[in-house]
Amino acid sequence: MPLLASAFQPRPGLRDRIDRAWAGRTSLVLSGGGGVGKSQLAAARAQQALAAGTELVVWVNAVDTAQVVTGYAAAALRVRAEGAQGQDVESDARAFLEWLAATSRSWLVVLDDVADTESIKRWWPPSSSNWDGRVLATSRRRDALMSGGGRAVVDVGTYAPDEAIAYLRHRFTDTDMSRLLDAQATDLLRELGHLPLALSHAAAYMINEDVPCVSYLRLFVDQRSRLEAMLPPEADTEGYGRPVAAALLLALDAVRRRDPSGVAALALCLTAHLDPVGHPLSLWADAAVISYLSAHRSMPSGHADALEPAEVTAEQARSVLWLLHHYSLITFGSRDGARGVSMHALTARAARENAPAPVLAAAMSAAADALAAIWPEEDHTDRDLATVLRANTDTLTLLAGDLLWQPDLHPVLYRAGMSLLDAGVHAAAVTHWQRLAVDAERLLGDEHPDTLTSRSFLTDSYRRAGRTAEAIALGERVAADSERLLGDDHPDTLTSRSILANSYAVAGRTAAAIALGERVVADRERLWGQNAPATVLARSNLAAYYSLAGRTAEAITLGERVLADRERVLEPDHPDALASRSILAGSYSEAGRTAEAIALGERIVADRERVLGEGHPTTVESRANLAGYYHAAGRTGEAIDLAERAITDAERLLGDDDPVALVARGNLAALHFEAGHVDEAIVLGERLVADAERILGTGHPHTRKFRDTLADTYRASGRLDHAIDVAQLNVTEAERLLGEDHPDTIMARIELAACYWDAGRTEEAMVLARRLVEPDNPDGLSAYAGLVRFYETTGQAEEAQALRRVVADVGRVLGEDQSDAIGVDEKVALLERAAADLGRILGEDHSHTVIIRGGMGFVLLEAGRSKEAIPLLERVAADTERLFGLQDAIEGFINLGIAYSRVDRWGEAITLLKRVVADADRILGPHHPGTQEARAALGRCYGAAFRARLGRLRPWRRRQKPRE
């Protein structure tokens, strides 16, 4: 809160209007042009409130929304608002607004210099529970929005003539210089337009220079006449600029005479390009500012014979700030705070309009360099400073325009954009990077590296702001352009691919995210090494993609490696280490390793509560995840309690539409369903699915999971048509995004088949269920688990048990678990039982039934029992050719030919294989692998037959010639 100015005027007429307007209202806006004293009036009201016993008075600089949010966040910590932890400014700001609404304490919030009336609406303080809270705002805006929401608006103009003369009299009396007030005072005040700011400049000059009103009037009129060319009346849009400018130049002339370093005007010009609310004092010790002051200083007359050293020192710069403060040109406090140096906006405008062009350009360049230099490496180490630097960068950007693009994008613009992303102010980040992308294309060209960089971070901003479709469209363009212009191995190309992969993952396009993520990992390992931070980050992202895609084994392996890498080089409480544990816990849960997921999840919640605070967004997310792990373990009561808390926290801190809030609501809906609260689960589930489709998209993994729970709930309530509609959409989205054979697609089909079965549509149900083990399924036996689940879900216990037996029997004979201790007869018996079960459940002509019979023949053939094998192999070969075509039957015919040959049925073997070779040559072509395999088998058969015949010939002996 600013201190009251010297000789502050209570302005009784205006005060009475304010009192009348505020009667019966809780919000008041003081509206008027620059320099009329709005902030001083608000400061006086704030002091009166404190004197009257108001328990909390908060002063917030409201020139932009970010500063409002930061101010609220700081206040939240001071009052210890529930959920405010000092880690996320928006979450803390919302906590403060909730505290204002609920508290019984009296309060006053002052919003000084509101500029964006549209954005401020969501941050306007609420009415208090006991109507003992008030809001006072100041603004130059006079539009209708300021009077909305029950706010009263009071117009504030310049001093009345008697108020203006009282101000001068008071100032002169306080300094024991009453003699300066003479007969020309009234004329002087008229020339100054009775503007409080102009009077402040004039009074400071007259007191410091011991100049009476008559003399100052003469100087002022002369200065005004010289300003006509520089600042014509039509350029003075507020009607106040010219009096302020004239007063400023007079004060600046006086400062120059007292400044041996010759940098006062330069310091004033640089300050005029920064945020009027304030900038850090540390900026004036930066090398860029010192270089600017040293290069452009000009020595005042009378000091030329005592030139200072060429290099201006930080101490000299600080002394000049005190001198400018002494003449009321700036406000300078001795504390080295984030806003230690400030200037009224109207004074800043006058300073800029009266500075020469070369100095203007040099000042803006130095300010940009200095802001970038003093920015903390990590924003979280000084969040208030980062907020102030962003505000100053915004002001400088607005004033400097294209200067910050010479020769290319200035680092401070990049740093400000990254700071917005780090702060979680995603809407503002989108605006920032959009502006940079447009400016880069206009000034540098469509293919300049800075243009690509700006678009890349705009892509990331879109993703974080939930604008996924835009993120993917732009991300694909940036990745393609980066590859074409920079090369596959350029760091920016790899970054663009990583950002695009994240967008794919958020959109539920996990296959695309994985393909790109694997490429990024491989490239970073090759280019930067296994242990580079960027490489480890890429692996962490890839582990998350694997988990989303249901590839839990790979997700766990990679996640454990990432966690080990990060724990080796980072502190246990480092945010990256905590994030790695969180990803790994989710993968454990997906893999059914519930105990490990819970143990790790409980540790994560405890660590984040301790390190980040109970109300931090990532802590809330961890709590929601832990509720899901409890749910999986059947700990329903604990899960419901934790899920309800997570929902409350997430919606309060992050908003109803945040994905963390959606996940927490999903857990709660599933828990109510399993607890038998079907009606409540349906209400929760319907709202949740609608919100998820709107926010995340219809195909996002979370949306599909929520939809699956809703379908189960509909089935349980007998609303089968609704269940079928929901399950059908899940199948469609899974097939579109993941493919026909993805585990999630299979589970979606199982759910839909179960819905069909319950609805009496048994034929459709069985067609869909048997698709799990159709010939085109690359791993049909493993899909029996899905078919078993279908049978169990629909109450067909006998079929489920039979399929479990098939999997066990076939695994013992032909699978990875086969045992050499099993005899041939037992193997044949097991396969015969499996073939009978499959024939009954899937049909005699199903591919797996035929394959099991073929397995029986192969076992007998390998055991040397070819005569027993031949009938089975004949049936299998004939059935395979009939059902699936010659190409699939070639191997069966080859086995049959081998069996014929082993029982000396050479003619049948050769005839059979000659036919297969001829058919394969005709159907598949002479060079097809199947044709070549059949031809090779025929050749081996000819050779074996020849050797066998040769072996059966009797040895020939030459008979001895008879004796004569």
Side-chain angles (χ1 to χ4, degrees):
M1 182 171 65
L3 297 174
L4 288 183
S6 301
F8 170 76
Q9 296 300 298
R11 307 174 74 170
L14 180 58
R15 181 185 58 202
D16 291 343
R17 285 198 290 127
I18 293 172
D19 290 340
R20 289 194 300 272
W22 221 342
R25 297 177 187 264
T26 59
S27 292
L28 178 73
V29 180
L30 301 179
S31 175
V36 297
K38 301 182 298 297
S39 297
Q40 283 288 299
L41 289 168
R45 285 282 167 165
Q47 290 190 5
Q48 291 170 12
L50 287 171
T54 300
E55 295 172 88
L56 174 69
V57 174
V58 178
W59 185 282
V60 179
N61 295 309
V63 69
D64 63 47
T65 306
Q67 295 187 48
V68 174
V69 172
T70 302
Y72 285 172
L77 297 177
R78 292 290 297 272
V79 301
R80 298 181 181 179
E82 183 180 356
Q85 300 296 324
Q87 299 298 322
D88 183 89
V89 291
E90 288 206 4
S91 298
D92 289 353
R94 293 191 191 97
F96 178 62
L97 292 181
E98 292 178 5
W99 183 90
L100 291 177
T103 185
S104 60
R105 298 167 63 182
S106 58
W107 53 263
L108 169 66
V109 173
V110 181
L111 301 172
D112 187 36
D113 199 13
V114 173
D116 188 345
T117 52
E118 187 65 35
S119 298
I120 199 68
K121 286 195 298 184
R122 63 187 290 241
W123 296 107
W124 198 272
S127 299
S128 63
S129 58
N130 59 356
W131 296 93
D132 203 9
R134 287 191 166 189
V135 183
L136 177 60
T138 70
S139 178
R140 300 187 191 191
R141 302 290 296 269
R142 293 184 170 91
D143 48 61
L145 284 175
M146 293 308 301
S147 60
R151 294 184 284 269
V153 178
V154 174
D155 288 327
V156 179
T158 60
Y159 280 148
D162 58 332
E163 293 169 341
I165 198 71
Y167 170 82
L168 278 185
R169 182 178 293 108
H170 195 166
R171 284 293 307 271
F172 294 156
T173 301
D174 286 347
T175 56
D176 196 23
M177 301 189 79
S178 300
R179 65 183 181 279
L180 301 181
L181 189 67
D182 55 30
Q184 295 297 314
T186 302
D187 292 338
L188 174 60
L189 294 173
R190 185 173 56 253
E191 286 293 331
L192 292 172
H194 301 107
L195 180 66
L197 179 61
L199 265 67
S200 173
H201 288 329
Y205 181 95
M206 287 188 282
I207 292 169
N208 290 326
E209 298 298 311
D210 195 13
V211 172
C213 292
V214 62
S215 299
Y216 187 85
L217 177 59
R218 186 167 53 252
L219 293 170
F220 184 83
V221 172
D222 178 65
Q223 190 67 65
R224 282 284 299 272
S225 65
R226 287 191 284 130
L227 279 174
E228 293 294 338
M230 292 188 293
L231 186 62
E234 61 269 18
D236 186 10
T237 54
E238 289 192 76
Y240 303 137
R242 296 165 76 233
V244 171
L248 176 143
L249 291 177
L250 287 173
L252 186 55
D253 283 342
V255 170
R256 283 176 174 148
R257 291 193 296 271
R258 293 171 177 258
D259 171 28
S261 65
V263 298
L266 300 174
L268 194 69
C269 183
L270 190 146
T271 304
H273 288 88
L274 297 173
D275 184 12
V277 178
H279 63 265
L281 177 60
S282 59
L283 181 140
W284 293 92
D286 181 72
V289 172
I290 296 299
S291 177
Y292 155 75
L293 296 176
S294 301
H296 296 275
R297 65 174 173 170
S298 58
M299 303 309 298
S301 60
H303 291 278
D305 57 344
L307 289 177
E308 297 287 337
E311 186 78 8
V312 174
T313 65
E315 290 75 16
Q316 288 175 319
R318 189 183 183 97
S319 296
V320 166
L321 295 178
W322 275 114
L323 189 58
L324 293 171
H325 171 78
H326 192 56
Y327 278 80
S328 296
L329 295 174
I330 67 170
T331 299
F332 173 45
S334 59
R335 67 187 188 283
D336 187 10
R339 298 190 185 276
V341 183
S342 61
M343 173 187 281
H344 194 282
L346 204 54
T347 303
R349 195 192 80 176
R352 292 192 302 269
E353 290 172 345
N354 290 281
V359 171
L360 287 172
M364 289 185 282
S365 179
D369 291 344
L371 288 172
I374 67 174
W375 213 300
E377 185 174 346
E378 298 289 343
D379 280 8
H380 69 268
T381 61
D382 195 336
R383 296 186 182 277
D384 185 48
L385 176 59
T387 301
V388 170
L389 293 176
R390 289 198 302 269
N392 278 272
T393 302
D394 287 344
T395 300
L396 179 62
T397 302
L398 183 65
L399 298 171
D402 295 348
L403 180 69
L404 298 184
W405 290 87
Q406 297 174 8
D408 45 30
L409 184 147
H410 195 284
V412 77
L413 299 177
Y414 172 88
R415 187 64 185 85
M418 295 305 299
S419 181
L420 288 168
L421 289 172
D422 291 341
V425 192
H426 299 142
V430 167
T431 301
H432 179 88
W433 288 110
Q434 279 178 331
R435 184 178 67 244
L436 291 193
V438 170
D439 288 347
E441 182 175 350
R442 174 175 59 86
L443 297 168
L444 305 178
D446 190 57
E447 298 183 346
H448 192 279
D450 285 347
T451 305
L452 299 181
T453 298
S454 300
R455 289 179 184 150
S456 186
F457 284 103
L458 177 57
T459 298
D460 198 32
S461 301
Y462 280 148
R463 175 184 67 83
R464 299 192 195 201
R467 298 166 62 171
T468 310
E470 293 167 280
I472 289 175
L474 184 58
E476 289 175 337
R477 176 186 173 188
V478 172
D481 288 346
S482 297
E483 290 173 3
R484 176 173 56 86
L485 297 169
L486 305 177
D488 283 351
D489 292 343
H490 192 280
D492 289 353
T493 303
L494 269 59
T495 298
S496 68
R497 291 187 192 127
S498 180
I499 290 174
L500 178 59
N502 287 335
S503 298
Y504 283 149
V506 169
R509 295 171 57 178
T510 50
I514 288 171
L516 204 52
E518 289 175 336
R519 181 178 179 185
V520 171
V521 169
D523 288 343
R524 286 182 171 171
E525 287 179 344
R526 174 174 54 85
L527 296 169
W528 302 336
Q530 297 279 340
N531 298 321
T535 306
V536 176
L537 175 61
R539 285 196 206 104
S540 181
N541 290 339
L542 182 58
Y545 307 157
Y546 282 152
S547 186
L548 283 173
R551 295 168 59 173
T552 50
E554 294 162 283
I556 289 172
T557 299
L558 196 57
E560 289 175 338
R561 177 183 176 184
V562 169
L563 180 57
D565 288 343
R566 284 182 163 167
E567 288 183 335
R568 186 178 67 254
V569 299
L570 301 174
E571 294 293 329
D573 291 340
H574 191 281
D576 287 349
L578 297 178
S580 296
R581 291 190 197 107
S582 181
I583 292 172
L584 184 58
S587 298
Y588 282 152
S589 178
E590 290 293 326
R593 296 166 60 174
T594 310
E596 293 167 277
I598 289 175
L600 198 54
E602 288 176 337
R603 176 184 174 185
I604 294 162
V605 169
D607 288 345
R608 283 182 165 164
E609 286 181 344
R610 173 173 51 81
V611 175
L612 304 177
E614 293 190 357
H616 191 275
T618 54
T619 306
V620 175
E621 181 180 10
S622 300
R623 213 175 280 125
N625 292 338
L626 182 57
Y629 308 155
Y630 284 155
H631 171 206
R635 296 165 61 173
T636 307
E638 295 170 275
I640 288 178
D641 291 343
L642 204 54
E644 289 177 338
R645 179 182 176 186
I647 291 171
T648 301
D649 290 344
E651 292 182 343
R652 174 175 59 84
L653 296 170
L654 308 175
D656 293 351
D657 290 349
D658 190 89
V660 173
L662 296 179
V663 170
R665 288 163 55 194
N667 289 336
L668 186 61
L671 288 164
H672 279 299
F673 168 64
E674 292 194 3
H677 310 150
V678 177
D679 292 339
E680 189 169 358
I682 287 176
V683 172
L684 290 171
E686 288 177 335
R687 178 190 165 203
L688 174 63
V689 168
D691 288 345
E693 289 178 343
R694 172 177 56 83
I695 297 164
L696 303 176
T698 58
H700 192 278
H702 290 338
T703 306
R704 298 198 309 271
K705 184 176 181 180
F706 302 152
R707 213 183 279 123
D708 183 63
T709 300
L710 181 58
D712 284 340
T713 310
Y714 280 146
R715 283 181 58 218
S717 69
R719 298 169 61 177
L720 297 175
D721 288 343
H722 288 75
I724 289 172
D725 290 341
V726 171
Q728 179 62 68
L729 181 55
N730 251 9
V731 171
T732 301
E733 290 299 318
E735 288 178 343
R736 176 176 67 87
L737 294 168
L738 306 176
E740 295 279 338
D741 301 319
H742 191 278
D744 287 357
T745 307
I746 292 170
M747 295 307 297
R749 289 199 196 104
I750 292 169
E751 179 67 36
L752 178 58
C755 292
Y756 282 149
W757 183 272
D758 288 355
R761 297 164 62 173
T762 54
E763 184 174 349
E764 293 170 276
M766 293 310 303
V767 168
L768 196 59
R770 287 170 179 162
R771 280 191 63 186
L772 301 172
V773 288
E774 282 301 303
D776 59 350
N777 191 311
D779 194 11
L781 286 176
S782 66
Y784 284 176
L787 192 55
V788 167
R789 176 169 175 171
F790 163 74
Y791 283 130
E792 289 178 336
T793 302
T794 54
Q796 302 179 68
E798 183 178 348
E799 285 79 0
Q801 182 60 36
L803 284 178
R804 283 202 189 88
R805 188 169 59 238
V806 167
V807 172
D809 290 347
V810 174
R812 293 180 65 194
V813 179
L814 303 177
E816 294 180 357
D817 299 329
Q818 59 181 291
S819 173
D820 294 333
I822 302 176
V824 174
D825 290 337
E826 186 177 358
K827 288 182 179 180
V828 171
L830 289 173
L831 293 179
E832 189 171 21
R833 183 172 68 178
D837 285 337
L838 290 180
R840 177 174 54 85
I841 296 173
L842 302 179
E844 292 293 330
D845 288 342
H846 193 278
S847 63
H848 290 181
T849 307
V850 175
I851 289 171
I852 297 303
R853 288 198 197 99
M856 294 167 57
F858 184 78
V859 168
L860 291 169
L861 185 63
E862 286 291 292
R865 295 162 59 172
S866 301
K867 287 185 178 180
E868 297 173 76
I870 285 175
L872 287 169
L873 295 176
E874 286 176 335
R875 179 179 178 183
V876 168
D879 287 347
T880 303
E881 183 177 19
R882 171 175 59 85
L883 295 170
F884 310 115
L886 175 63
Q887 183 173 349
D888 288 347
I890 287 176
E891 184 176 357
F893 281 124
I894 291 173
N895 288 335
L896 180 58
I898 292 172
Y900 283 156
S901 65
R902 288 185 179 179
V903 295
D904 293 337
R905 294 168 61 175
W906 303 107
E908 292 171 276
I910 290 172
T911 300
L912 172 65
L913 292 175
K914 285 174 66 176
R915 181 182 71 82
V916 172
V917 168
D919 290 344
D921 191 65
R922 174 175 51 82
I923 297 171
L924 305 177
H927 303 298
H928 191 277
T931 306
Q932 293 177 351
E933 185 179 1
R935 190 176 289 114
L938 177 59
R940 290 193 298 271
C941 192
Y942 271 130
F946 176 76
R947 287 191 297 274
R949 178 172 297 181
L950 189 63
R952 287 197 297 270
L953 292 177
R954 295 174 60 187
W956 177 77
R957 292 187 179 89
R958 183 176 179 178
R959 299 177 65 180
Q960 294 182 350
K961 184 178 180 179
R963 295 179 180 178
E964 296 181 355

